[in-house]
Amino acid sequence: MNHASWQPGRAFFAAIALAVLAGCAEGLLAGARGKTGLVVIDCSTSEPDSTTQLRAACAAAGVLLVDAPLARTPVEAELGKLNVMVGADDATFVRLEPVLRCFAENVFHVGGPGAGHIVKLLNNFIAQAICTATAEAFAVGARAGVDPKKLVELVSAGGVNSGLFQAMAKTLVGDMAGIKFELDNARKDIRYYTHLAEGLGVPTVVGEAVHQSLVLASALGHGKKFVPSLVEAQEQLTGAKIVAR
């Protein structure tokens, strides 16, 4: 096996998480013995299948696992203004909401157990679809002889506009930090989304295109940069001149 090119799959990460929780005497659930009413709040972005496994492992130890992934950026995190999407029954949500509001501006009860991680993947897919489409549109426009800033003027005045579009538009003036989220993390999240759709037997043509756009940008050397580096990847692919330098 070529270890340099090996990519861990979802079963691997689920196994690691189970080991941390319950797989050894020092696992987190070991400390739950003899206690009642304990709750583990999982704020990660995770695959729903692995969340189901973890929830079952916790339940076997008398512990409740609640999925409550986060949205927004490090700026909002420092201000205590994150968005949280919670998957839990009504009673559990009422119990936990005051705790979550200690670091969140908006707390959304999106459904029963597991729904939080599902909604987070849907949210991230839509977000990255906007980012990848914007980067591609800038490249096609530039190659066609149109100043991408003129596209920004038009989009800014209509229904296509969004905060993510405006963040991507900052690349035109050389600002590559409008979205402080690592491209490889976005790639991972969209992989989770396509796995979710695949498991449901749902075609995800757009999802796969977005995922491969991120995979390609990472392969071109932008994985550890922020998501707006998708524009730099498009420059490499198309020869377009987009980012102000």
Side-chain angles (χ1 to χ4, degrees):
M1 176 190 294
N2 182 352
H3 294 282
S5 62
W6 177 70
Q7 291 291 324
R10 49 186 156 176
F12 172 83
F13 287 116
I16 291 295
L18 282 169
V20 171
L21 277 171
C24 61
E26 293 78 28
L28 293 177
L29 295 183
R33 294 185 184 127
K35 299 180 176 67
T36 59
L38 293 182
V39 179
V40 173
I41 303 176
D42 181 1
C43 292
S44 68
T45 301
S46 299
E47 298 209 52
D49 285 349
S50 65
T51 303
T52 299
Q53 295 179 51
L54 296 174
R55 189 165 55 250
C58 287
V63 175
L64 178 64
L65 177 74
V66 174
D67 49 303
L70 312 174
R72 287 189 164 175
T73 72
V75 174
E76 285 83 19
E78 292 180 2
L79 296 173
K81 292 185 176 182
L82 290 169
N83 290 339
V84 184
M85 52 220 84
V86 184
D89 60 51
D90 292 343
T92 300
F93 177 76
V94 170
R95 176 184 173 193
L96 297 181
E97 184 179 8
V99 176
L100 298 172
R101 288 200 178 277
C102 291
F103 60 86
E105 180 177 26
N106 301 301
V107 180
F108 301 94
H109 186 198
V110 296
H117 280 152
I118 293 171
V119 170
K120 178 61 188 294
L121 297 183
L122 303 179
N123 177 81
N124 284 18
F125 161 58
I126 294 171
Q128 294 310 315
I130 293 170
C131 294
T132 54
T134 301
E136 184 175 301
F138 286 168
V140 172
R143 283 298 307 272
V146 172
D147 183 351
K149 291 180 181 177
K150 296 302 180 182
L151 174 63
V152 173
E153 290 179 12
L154 172 68
V155 171
S156 298
V160 179
N161 193 29
S162 71
L164 287 171
F165 176 82
Q166 292 298 326
M168 294 295 291
K170 291 180 180 180
T171 61
L172 302 180
V173 294
D175 183 353
M176 308 304 295
I179 303 169
K180 292 183 172 65
F181 188 61
E182 188 179 281
L183 190 144
D184 273 347
N185 279 335
R187 175 172 61 88
K188 176 264 298 179
D189 289 354
I190 305 308
R191 185 175 76 245
Y192 287 176
Y193 167 77
T194 59
H195 284 169
L196 171 64
E198 180 183 5
L200 296 169
V202 177
T204 176
V205 177
V206 177
E208 292 292 353
V210 172
H211 181 223
Q212 288 304 312
S213 294
L214 292 163
V215 169
L216 182 55
S218 181
L220 290 172
H222 303 287
K224 300 306 176 184
K225 300 179 183 179
F226 293 141
V227 165
S229 65
L230 284 164
V231 175
E232 292 177 310
Q234 284 291 335
E235 288 184 317
Q236 289 174 261
L237 289 168
T238 65
K241 302 299 181 183
I242 306 171
V243 178
R245 292 180 174 87

